[in-house]
Amino acid sequence: PPECFLSMGGRFTDYDLTESRLDARFPVREEYLNPYGIMQGGFVVAAADNTIGPLSMLVDTPSVTRTLESTYFRPVLAEYGVIDVTARLTGREGRRLQFSAEVRAPDGTRCTVVTATHLRLPSG
């Protein structure tokens, strides 16, 4: 895994390459919290991006992120202790790869959805 994945305390929990899916878990650390005791949105998205990136390496040739969008449904509370991220490859078209990732609380409550478009790097 990339160093940024490790520095966030991430660990992979499951994968299914036939489904193009990768699951990871990240701690909700005190230094990630805003003044309201909620995980700052950038760290939530970083956890999702840190799951999509390794999945992209498993399912296709090298690629880079072109766009990344997030939709927040519920805040990630400090009391959760961890968040679970499930990333999936959702489409391929030409050089473009489409991904989505759901960020969930330990009880399964959906907190955030992140979508990403990657571009395959030219070979050679």
Side-chain angles (χ1 to χ4, degrees):
E3 185 58 38
C4 52
F5 178 92
L6 298 173
S7 70
M8 285 190 72
R11 68 179 179 87
F12 297 116
T13 57
D14 196 15
Y15 69 97
D16 186 332
L17 294 182
T18 60
E19 292 183 8
S20 300
R21 176 184 53 80
L22 180 63
D23 300 330
R25 176 169 277 180
F26 294 85
V28 178
R29 294 179 171 162
E30 186 175 337
E31 61 265 27
Y32 299 163
L33 304 180
N34 66 23
Y36 304 111
I38 296 168
M39 190 170 179
Q40 197 269 341
F43 286 106
V44 176
V45 172
D49 192 29
N50 271 316
T51 308
I52 291 171
L55 175 62
S56 75
M57 296 173 69
L58 294 171
V59 298
D60 213 297
T61 59
S63 63
V64 294
T65 304
R66 169 95 189 251
T67 64
L68 189 73
E69 292 185 28
S70 57
T71 303
Y72 300 94
F73 297 96
R74 300 222 188 290
V76 172
L77 306 175
E79 65 199 49
Y80 293 166
V82 296
I83 52 173
D84 294 307
V85 181
T86 298
R88 288 179 170 29
L89 173 69
T90 58
R92 286 184 173 103
E93 184 180 326
R95 288 184 52 209
R96 294 176 193 264
L97 304 171
Q98 300 291 328
F99 295 92
S100 69
E102 288 194 339
V103 179
R104 295 188 177 270
D107 69 359
T109 300
R110 183 174 67 170
C111 298
T112 306
V113 172
V114 174
T115 57
T117 301
H118 283 204
L119 286 181
R120 289 186 187 111
L121 295 173
S123 58

